[in-house]
Amino acid sequence: MSMRFTKEILLRARIVLLSVLLLAIAIVWKINVLLWKEGEQWRSCAKTNQLIYRPIKASRGNIYGDDGALLATTLPFYTVALDPTIASDAAMHQELDALCQKLAHFYGEGTRETYKKKIWTARRKKKRYVRLHAQPITHAEKQEMKQWPLFKYGKYKGGVLFEKQYIRYNPFKALAKRTIGTQRANGSSTGLEYAFDQELKGIDGQALYQKVIGGQWKEINANTRIAPIHGYDLETTLDINLQDVTQSSLLAVLEKTDAKHGCAVVMEVATGAVKAIANLSRMPSGDYAEVYNYAVGNQGTVEPGSVFKLASMLALLEKTHWPLTKPIDTGNGSIQYHNRWMRDVKKGGYGLLTLQGVFEKSSNVGISMAIQEVFGADPQQFIAYLEQLGLHKPLGIELVGEGKPYIVTPKSKMWHGVALPWLCIGYNLQITPLHILVLYNAVANNGKMVKPIFVRNIKAASGVIKAFHTTVLNEQICSEQTLHKLKTMLEGTVEQGLAQRIKHGFYKVAGKTGTAQKLVNGRYTDDHLTSFAGYFPADAPRYSCIIVVDSPQGTDARFGSEVPAPIFRNIVDRIAGKDLHARPPINGSIKPMPEPMGPGQVACGQTWSNLYRLLELPAVDKPMPQEAQIQPTIPAKNEPPVASHSQPVAQLPPTVLHKNLRDALFVLEQAGFFVSLEGTIHGTVCQQSLKSHPTCPEKSTVHLLLK
């Protein structure tokens, strides 16, 4: 038994040894194959896995206003993180409390103990990365933080990590935010940032990097780098000062009336350049913010109400050539079309009105009666006029997401017996505020309809890449006779019509108010859409404007004359103060320049000294010579003489045209007048208010314009 057992053991041992030998031979053979046959392939693979092309981000282009104001740019920001295992125990015990106190104070969230617990927990668990806060900080804030406790030891001794990221930044914050837009990596961009994304974003470059010890990546050679092509800049038409006025004026009225939302657009008449565009919506918190472009987008495509009556009147006058004095009897202010009643706002009606009066009073009954009389037998003719104005199709502006107009026509299933009367007063259609403004702007532009533009140029460092010029949509929207009548009615609406509230003494304004009931779920509600569209100065238009306010609250807040019209006046006042060409001269035309006065012809010696003292100028050493004494101001021909101080009620301001500021101040203040100034203090007086008049009160203010 023992011999047999021994032989079995020896046999099994030989089998094991043979197996081991065969395995060893196989391993050696495989190694040789890897080294010699497949070696180059695997060495190349190993090398390739340590190399990678990494992108070099292109710098996104800037967006500018028409005066060079920076509206959007890309800036480096940082988020703050910490490797809590880096710092020594001594440093952590000595400085962590102070660091956590600063973090709590800086971010305004959490307490010192919150941050301290977070960092100590991560240190105990040997976590190498803790983000201290998600809020990005600026470069200046980063430099400040680098002096804080623990952070001052830097990345390798303190463990602080400042992670750079590039963020789109709007220097003017909320101004025109929706129009400028936002740029997001997930593709949900808006406004100009989205419409011109390809031009702004540029083309990323790339460089070859190699992985080194510690898991870091190092650029191999600058020669392998493909440089990025940086994005182009946009030069917009927006005037940031006018944008501020427009947005603040709109906000004030929205807050006062607790309106749902509102928008306002200011456009240059001749070019179609949009100078300001504001869109504000009431948020759940009660504050207002720019979250949607109601002036342009689908949600702003609504029934416009009475501001649409301008288009209806254009069609009527083109078809009939009626005079503005044509009488129209509106009766008691109500009329029935089939099974539906139409009423005017005024209880009891307006009675007998002229055609011009119908427009100025915005009589629904009068407009619908006239349109029904002329176009009732063939409503498609009325639609044809609207289509000639381009009101049935989008404008094709640069911004993406423009609302598409819709007009009920006789070919539509929605057409019914009362469609035409309600269409002509601004119902049975949907259109954006910007589209309505284009129509009013065309009237102001002597019949030429132009497309709104938001961008003037696409620019690179080398110069303009592409310029955007004014596009004419319609050379002449109507005849000259009709155009004259439309302008007369728009001016009359402000002078003696429903918009008298914004009538101005210094310049003429033309425009039309609008009020429309809101259609919600197929039913008209008590909420209203109020609007005002117009232009100024009426005699030489430079700017057109539309304001729309949705669902204002208050007794009279549902009328366009009460809510949006005052916004228009406020905007116009600010434009007039800024743009001297937008208003007539204060004192009429400027007369030819007389011979200039000599440098010494200012006043007698004592008065000269007093004037220098009041103006805080260096005192003169000696009195002025006799020939330097000023001569009395001589009134212009046919003007009454200047009243003496004993008769203050009849006192007249002396004429100081073409004098320098110092001379003008002396003459007017000696005569007892206050003075307000505009222009450059180094210029001469080219305009003067309070032209000589017998009833001019004492101590009136004379306004001087210097150039």
Side-chain angles (χ1 to χ4, degrees):
M1 288 294 291
S2 61
M3 287 291 292
R4 186 180 300 174
F5 180 74
T6 303
K7 287 180 180 181
E8 288 180 359
I9 292 175
L10 289 175
L11 180 61
R12 290 179 182 178
R14 289 191 187 101
I15 293 173
V16 171
L17 288 173
L18 182 60
S19 300
V20 171
L21 180 61
L22 291 174
L23 180 60
I25 293 171
I27 291 173
V28 171
W29 177 80
K30 186 62 177 178
I31 291 174
N32 283 306
V33 170
L34 291 173
L35 285 174
W36 304 108
K37 187 176 181 180
E38 301 177 3
E40 188 60 35
Q41 175 187 346
W42 289 108
R43 280 191 293 270
S44 176
C45 182
K47 185 177 180 181
T48 302
N49 285 336
Q50 298 299 313
L51 298 176
I52 189 172
Y53 275 101
R54 304 183 71 181
I56 303 174
K57 294 291 291 182
S59 176
R60 191 172 179 84
N62 297 329
I63 300 178
Y64 295 95
D66 69 338
D67 59 349
L70 185 60
L71 305 182
T73 189
T74 302
L75 295 178
F77 286 81
Y78 305 85
T79 52
V80 186
L82 183 70
D83 182 346
T85 67
I86 295 293
S88 65
D89 289 339
M92 290 288 285
H93 285 291
Q94 290 175 8
E95 304 196 20
L96 186 58
D97 276 354
L99 172 64
C100 294
Q101 183 64 44
K102 283 187 171 291
L103 289 170
H105 180 265
F106 179 85
Y107 289 113
E109 294 180 13
T111 63
R112 180 187 64 179
E113 294 302 322
T114 304
Y115 285 101
K116 186 176 179 180
K117 181 180 179 181
K118 182 178 183 179
I119 294 171
W120 272 118
T121 301
R123 183 178 174 90
R124 283 195 302 269
K125 294 181 179 180
K126 301 188 182 303
K127 287 186 177 180
R128 302 295 303 271
Y129 180 88
V130 177
R131 174 171 284 185
L132 298 178
H133 203 283
Q135 177 183 321
I137 63 172
T138 64
H139 178 74
E141 291 169 334
K142 172 195 169 186
Q143 294 301 111
E144 177 189 345
M145 282 189 175
K146 287 171 71 174
Q147 308 303 317
W148 285 7
L150 204 62
F151 286 3
K152 63 186 178 183
Y153 300 127
K155 176 180 178 180
Y156 298 106
K157 292 186 178 181
V160 63
L161 303 170
F162 292 104
E163 299 175 312
K164 182 185 289 188
Q165 55 182 299
Y166 288 94
I167 297 178
R168 204 64 171 161
Y169 177 70
N170 296 60
F172 291 96
K173 304 298 183 184
L175 288 185
K177 182 178 180 181
R178 187 67 191 189
T179 302
I180 296 169
T182 55
Q183 185 266 327
R184 300 187 181 96
N186 62 7
S188 60
S189 303
T190 58
L192 294 173
E193 293 276 16
Y194 179 71
F196 291 89
D197 182 62
Q198 292 299 318
E199 292 82 358
L200 287 165
K201 73 178 184 179
I203 301 175
D204 291 345
Q206 60 181 3
L208 188 61
Y209 283 78
Q210 183 177 23
K211 198 170 187 179
V212 296
I213 297 174
Q216 301 299 314
W217 290 90
K218 177 183 178 182
E219 186 176 353
I220 290 181
N221 194 321
N223 294 331
T224 65
R225 178 183 298 184
I226 300 174
I229 300 175
H230 298 306
Y232 296 138
D233 296 334
L234 292 187
E235 182 183 320
T236 71
T237 61
L238 298 175
D239 182 326
I240 199 63
N241 294 313
L242 187 52
Q243 178 69 36
D244 186 21
V245 171
T246 303
Q247 196 154 318
S248 59
S249 300
L250 178 64
L251 176 61
V253 170
L254 293 181
E255 290 178 335
K256 181 179 178 181
T257 61
D258 195 29
K260 185 178 179 181
H261 62 75
C263 65
V265 186
V266 179
M267 192 161 70
E268 206 169 56
V269 168
T271 66
V274 175
K275 310 303 293 182
I277 176 169
N279 294 272
L280 295 170
S281 303
R282 188 178 67 227
M283 309 305 291
S285 63
D287 296 327
Y288 287 86
E290 284 217 341
V291 296
Y292 188 81
N293 199 332
Y294 292 99
V296 173
N298 276 313
Q299 293 184 37
T301 307
V302 293
E303 292 178 316
S306 295
V307 289
F308 186 75
K309 291 174 182 176
L310 181 67
S312 300
M313 192 62 74
L314 183 149
L316 181 68
L317 294 173
E318 283 288 274
K319 178 68 175 177
T320 64
H321 306 291
W322 284 353
L324 296 182
T325 55
K326 178 179 174 60
I328 296 179
D329 189 0
T330 65
N332 63 357
S334 63
I335 187 171
Q336 186 177 12
Y337 294 103
H338 295 274
N339 61 342
R340 189 174 176 186
W341 283 90
M342 178 182 290
R343 293 180 174 83
D344 284 333
V345 173
K346 182 181 178 182
K347 292 183 178 180
Y350 294 104
L352 186 64
L353 291 172
T354 63
L355 183 62
Q356 180 173 346
V358 165
F359 187 84
E360 292 173 355
K361 303 299 184 184
S362 196
S363 170
N364 295 332
V365 172
I367 291 280
S368 63
M369 287 173 60
I371 293 295
Q372 187 69 19
E373 177 184 340
V374 175
F375 296 104
D378 187 4
Q380 187 59 41
Q381 288 189 23
F382 181 74
I383 302 299
Y385 280 108
L386 302 185
E387 291 178 348
Q388 287 177 17
L389 295 173
L391 299 179
H392 65 301
K393 59 184 180 180
L395 295 166
I397 59 175
E398 299 105 314
L399 294 176
V400 177
E402 179 188 359
K404 185 178 180 180
Y406 171 75
I407 301 176
V408 175
T409 70
K411 301 175 183 179
S412 169
K413 293 181 180 179
M414 299 294 293
W415 189 265
H416 44 78
V418 298
L420 180 62
W422 262 264
L423 175 59
C424 71
I425 65 170
Y427 295 89
N428 289 328
L429 80 154
Q430 292 182 332
I431 196 168
T432 65
L434 185 63
H435 217 145
I436 291 291
L437 178 60
V438 168
L439 173 61
Y440 278 76
N441 192 81
V443 174
N445 199 23
N446 294 320
K448 181 184 290 188
M449 180 178 285
V450 296
K451 183 170 76 172
I453 57 174
F454 294 82
V455 175
R456 291 196 187 278
N457 298 304
I458 299 175
K459 301 176 70 175
S462 58
V464 175
I465 302 300
K466 181 180 179 181
F468 293 82
H469 303 289
T470 300
T471 300
V472 178
L473 300 175
N474 191 330
E475 282 287 352
Q476 195 67 33
I477 62 171
C478 61
S479 67
E480 291 187 7
Q481 294 81 1
T482 296
L483 186 65
H484 176 73
K485 293 174 183 177
L486 295 177
K487 288 183 175 182
T488 301
M489 289 187 292
L490 288 170
E491 291 178 31
T493 302
V494 176
E495 294 297 317
Q496 62 262 357
L498 292 184
Q500 289 185 68
R501 181 172 179 176
I502 64 170
K503 181 179 178 180
H504 209 289
F506 287 104
Y507 44 79
K508 275 192 173 184
V509 173
K512 179 75 180 72
T513 60
T515 305
Q517 281 184 283
K518 289 189 63 179
L519 185 66
V520 179
N521 297 325
R523 297 179 63 87
Y524 286 100
T525 67
D526 290 334
D527 285 335
H528 289 77
L529 195 76
T530 62
S531 56
F532 183 90
Y535 54 85
F536 106 103
D539 46 359
R542 284 179 56 82
Y543 298 97
S544 59
C545 179
I546 188 168
I547 298 103
V548 177
V549 178
D550 188 340
S551 305
Q553 305 301 309
T555 306
D556 297 322
R558 66 190 184 96
F559 298 114
S561 58
E562 299 297 327
V563 181
I567 302 176
F568 181 90
R569 171 162 180 168
N570 190 36
I571 293 172
V572 165
D573 283 344
R574 297 293 292 273
I575 294 176
K578 179 178 179 292
D579 187 348
L580 297 178
H581 297 287
R583 63 182 182 193
I586 298 175
N587 197 27
S589 60
I590 299 176
K591 299 177 182 178
M593 178 74 76
E595 290 296 323
M597 298 176 65
Q601 292 178 305
V602 179
C604 63
Q606 183 59 45
T607 306
W608 173 271
S609 299
N610 292 339
L611 182 61
Y612 262 56
R613 177 177 52 80
L614 290 172
L615 295 177
E616 298 183 355
L617 297 173
V620 291
D621 296 330
K622 56 184 179 180
M624 295 299 297
Q626 183 69 26
E627 60 269 18
Q629 295 182 7
I630 194 170
Q631 298 299 320
T633 302
I634 301 175
K637 188 176 181 180
N638 298 327
E639 287 187 357
V642 178
S644 66
H645 288 285
S646 60
Q647 295 176 322
V649 175
Q651 186 181 7
L652 303 174
T655 300
V656 293
L657 289 176
H658 315 302
K659 288 182 170 58
N660 60 36
L661 175 59
R662 188 168 57 188
D663 298 347
L665 284 173
F666 172 77
V667 172
L668 291 171
E669 290 181 352
Q670 283 292 97
F673 289 87
F674 295 115
V675 180
S676 65
L677 304 174
E678 182 178 351
T680 173
I681 61 173
H682 302 294
T684 57
V685 179
C686 62
Q687 293 179 14
Q688 170 187 351
S689 66
L690 281 179
K691 193 174 182 180
S692 300
H693 195 278
T695 61
C696 183
E698 185 185 20
K699 287 293 181 182
S700 295
T701 298
V702 179
H703 182 79
L704 303 180
L705 177 63
L706 295 96
K707 287 187 177 179

